[in-house]
Amino acid sequence: MAALIWRGVRHLLKRADFTRVPRRHRHKKKWAATEPKFPATRLALQNFDMTYSVQFGDLWPSIRVSLLSEQKYGALLNNFAACDHVSDELEQLQARDFVNKAHSRRELEPETGQAAALSPASWVCSPNLRCFTFTRGDVSRFPPARVGSLGVMDYYLMDAASLLPVLALGLQPGDTVLDLCAAPGGKTLALLQTGCCRNLAANDLSTSRTGRLQKVLHSYLPQEIRDKSRVRVTSWDGRKWGELEGDTYDRVLVDVPCTTDRHSLHEEENNIFQRSRKKERQMLPMLQVQLLAAGLLATKPGGHVVYSTCSLSHLQNEYVVQGAIELLDNQYSIKVQVEDLTHFRKLFMETFSFFSSCQVGELVVPNLMANFGPMYFCKMCRLT
């Protein structure tokens, strides 16, 4: 029976007239054009929901809603401007200098046995920094910065948590300083506000981003400061800095490219979760290890490095620190020690919300009452 059916089908096929389709009318389904197109911000949120729900557990829902809410800012006073009247104006807005407040509290606290056991470097904060924030739960906004009587801007608006890596670096007068990934310039400006930099090298691979950095410096620094060659702006590959200027700097800040979690949830432009940047995103931890290793190689023995990101990911934070330390030990026989920042964290707990379970370093997590961050930072000392 089956043979008869098959014979009939062949007969019908022979009688059918299948005209060849002209080549110009043929087409192949293009999957890239027909797949649903999700915005990068949505892809970022999906990624964070999968990874951070595991990393943070029950804490993730509160971090998630904070990341999706409006961010709080701080006003970093420009010491090169006539800033006394500016601080008075900010205090009239009920904003307070969180750095000065933390230092005042430290002076009033009795020295405990645990605090006395900490290394001196972990106690030292970079000096002369003043940054005003509104109190917890206050979502007021600062007015835009304006040009003051000395021809430079009065203050710089930034995520106040971004100041913590600069504070942790513990600059001392006469230090030679490297900001390895400097653009767009907020942390570079903060380094200069300390008044400690004998020389500052501010580097970023992207020439367009170093252009933004130059604009910040031009807006906030008097011309005589810029003309004294205290600041050198370059666009070199930061991964090669250990070869270019090894064993050179007293203090190095390595604020690496990362997934910029808050930006990735709010902005489509330059979003690393765009499909075309998938490979770049996957390679981030390797790039971060290379940059941190280069920063450590550029540091003098006995010098200090602070590594920082604006990501919550432990793959970009603790794991990178551990990977770079192992790399220097295995390939260069260089010993690096992570500094204990427990006391540093306690100083600023009234202003920021810290994650209590970091393996190394400190992590500011967004919180609706104090919606700064995310900001991870870890301080290291190069021993040899």
Side-chain angles (χ1 to χ4, degrees), residues 68 72 87 98 105 161 235:
L68 293 169
K72 287 188 73 169
S87 60
F98 82 86
R105 187 167 61 254
S235 295

Side-chain angles (χ1 to χ4, degrees), residues 229-245:
S229 300
R230 283 172 50 189
V231 186
R232 174 170 57 113
V233 178
T234 57
S235 295
W236 298 345
D237 186 344
R239 294 172 295 181
K240 299 178 181 178
W241 210 280
E243 305 167 18
L244 298 170
E245 294 183 341

Side-chain angles (χ1 to χ4, degrees), residues 25 29 85 118 144-145 169 203 215 223 260 301 351 365 382-383:
H25 291 157
K29 185 178 181 181
H85 77 279
L118 296 174
L169 196 53
N203 179 72
K215 288 181 180 178
Q223 186 170 351
T260 55
T351 304
V365 294
R382 177 176 164 179
L383 300 178

Side-chain angles (χ1 to χ4, degrees), residues 56 59 63 318 342 345 349 353-365:
F56 294 100
L59 190 60
I63 297 175
E318 299 103 308
T342 302
R345 180 184 72 220
M349 283 181 67
S353 296
F354 288 89
F355 182 54
S356 60
S357 300
C358 273
Q359 298 174 25
V360 291
E362 299 293 341
L363 175 64
V364 174
V365 294

Side-chain angles (χ1 to χ4, degrees), residues 88-219:
D88 292 338
E89 291 176 4
L90 294 176
E91 287 177 355
Q92 290 175 9
L93 297 174
Q94 304 303 311
R96 295 293 179 264
D97 180 358
F98 82 86
V99 181
N100 182 60
K101 184 178 178 182
H103 288 324
S104 300
R105 187 167 61 254
R106 184 180 71 177
E107 292 170 0
L108 294 173
E109 288 179 352
E111 187 173 306
T112 64
Q114 181 183 6
L118 296 174
S119 67
S122 66
W123 279 78
V124 176
C125 290
S126 298
N128 304 322
L129 292 171
R130 293 182 289 173
C131 186
F132 283 75
T133 59
F134 293 106
T135 57
R136 278 179 172 262
D138 187 343
V139 294
S140 302
R141 296 183 182 181
F142 289 100
R146 62 181 186 273
V147 177
S149 58
L150 298 182
V152 292
M153 304 291 277
D154 286 335
Y155 55 79
Y156 182 84
L157 292 178
M158 64 192 302
D159 184 336
S162 297
L163 195 61
L164 295 177
V166 178
L167 284 164
L169 196 53
L171 267 66
Q172 299 295 299
D175 277 345
T176 54
V177 184
L178 168 63
D179 189 353
L180 192 59
C181 310
K187 294 183 182 67
T188 305
L189 181 63
L191 290 167
L192 290 166
Q193 297 298 316
T194 66
C196 293
C197 301
R198 177 159 52 94
N199 296 108
L200 172 64
N203 179 72
D204 200 283
L205 178 61
S206 167
T207 52
S208 62
R209 285 171 60 83
T210 50
R212 291 171 60 191
L213 169 62
Q214 293 275 24
K215 288 181 180 178
V216 168
L217 297 180
H218 189 273
S219 299

